[in-house]
Amino acid sequence: EVQFVESGGGLVQAGGSLRLSCVASGLASDDYAIAWFRQAPGVEREGVSCISTEDGRIFHGDPVKGRFTISIDIAKNTVYLQMNSLEPEDTAVYSCAAATHCSGRFHSWGQGTQVTVSS
């Protein structure tokens, strides 16, 4: 069973930074992509960033390009999301999920970690 445990969220002022961590366990042999998603109240879940564990390719959604960076420490089974220049619009619960590739169907979302950006 795939499980993700996210941490690192909190309250930060606009313009500030946070680094989120996502520890993975039980990944299937064909789970080659891990992504961060976010969901704000009353808003559909949105893909933020994705990293391929197979070839290292990275994808960022347009709202976060140039501000967020996704990375992975395979030895620690941990995916990170460095978030800089945070904006109030980034306020959401951030969670991880896995898929066979970054454009595939994701599964096994974690509980998430709350990020709140004050103006």
Side-chain angles (χ1 to χ4, degrees), residues 38-63:
R38 66 185 181 185
Q39 188 167 25
V43 179
E44 191 171 329
R45 183 164 52 203
E46 173 187 32
V48 177
S49 302
C50 183
I51 187 165
S52 168
T53 62
E54 190 174 28
D55 57 18
R57 285 188 297 172
I58 290 173
F59 304 91
H60 291 294
D62 287 342

Side-chain angles (χ1 to χ4, degrees), residues 29-91:
S29 59
D30 60 351
D31 282 331
Y32 295 120
I34 299 176
W36 283 96
F37 290 80
R38 66 185 181 185
Q39 188 167 25
V43 179
E44 191 171 329
R45 183 164 52 203
E46 173 187 32
V48 177
S49 302
C50 183
I51 187 165
S52 168
T53 62
E54 190 174 28
D55 57 18
R57 285 188 297 172
I58 290 173
F59 304 91
H60 291 294
D62 287 342
V64 306
K65 281 181 180 177
R67 300 188 298 122
F68 291 11
T69 302
I70 190 171
S71 62
I72 188 168
D73 185 333
I74 293 178
K76 295 182 179 179
N77 292 328
T78 302
V79 175
Y80 301 98
L81 186 67
Q82 178 66 44
M83 307 187 296
N84 299 327
S85 302
L86 283 161
E87 303 168 352
E89 294 74 21
D90 296 317
T91 295

